Amino acid sequence: MSFAHPRPSLPLAVFRCHFETTEPLRLPAYAGSAWRGALGHALKRAVCVVRGTSCPSCLLYRSCVFPYVFETPPPPDSEKMRRYTTAPHPFALRIDPRSDGSPYRLGLTLFGRADRHLPYFIHALDQAGKAGLGRASQAFELIKVEQAEATEHQTVYEPGQPLRLTPARTPPIPALPERFEIRLETPLRLKREDHLVTPAQFGFGDLFGHLLRRLSMLSYFHADTPLEADFAALAHGSRTVPVHEPALHWHDWTRYSSRQQTTMQMGGLLGRFELRGEDVEPFWPYLWLGQWTHVGKGATLGLGRYRIRAASLPDTPADV
């Protein structure tokens, strides 16, 4: 399979936030929902100057950091998603399953121009931690923030110290290995024709079609260089890529939405499968970037996170 395609570009700024807590950890297994909710409440309290007014009816709607981050309205002159009220949000959380106490690590990735708002994120995370998370209102104290540089992390913020931010950049794409494994690390929730994709139905095209759309939208709304590619050819070609040795299962998970005041089903696919390099050459740059963006429903709160593993590949700094 071969056709011309430019390499996708999506600048990323990858951070790891360290918190201390004096109590045994009492957050749910997928704490991204709790962190995203607390972050949103803290950010709105910090920046909103027009209390009691809904964001879309506010004069500051298109200049305020809160709607940009959490509601992300498409610009009035947008050529994409004109029928939608929101575009993909410019951040994603990463939950470290190995963090079972203090210090607690929370990953944060900012896409494109969102890195200019890092001080707001840090302040809101600090306030969210102090206010307490989860039904037990467990308190956390932010002690430092690190930024990923190559395969290392450099401290960019400590309380009382100035912020030392490195501008976002597109991660380098390594050489395509002969074969590699994709591990689904958090529930991957995909739909095909309005139905959830099950382990028995899963195909590479399901993953890649959603990922291509997500990367296209993120680059269009949050980066200076929108993704230009033959989307139809890529999507069509991805449906013919074979998946080898799949070991997938369905994992049920529910979360409570305080905004909608209801319990939501957020189950998805977990497990692993293999791909052959000769089959995925046109899709490789997108697959590599997808490790940072996540894919599918709930990507912002940490779902749809996958990792690519092969002996010839480096670890990514997106590992929390």
Side-chain angles (χ1 to χ4, degrees), residues 117-131:
H117 299 307
L118 178 63
Y120 289 101
F121 278 93
I122 292 177
H123 175 76
L125 285 170
D126 175 65
Q127 295 301 302
K130 290 177 179 176

Side-chain angles (χ1 to χ4, degrees), residues 38-49 51 66 123-124 127-128 131:
L39 172 63
H41 289 304
L43 182 61
K44 190 164 188 177
R45 287 195 303 268
V47 303
C48 183
V49 298
R51 306 294 180 182
F66 176 79
H123 175 76
Q127 295 301 302

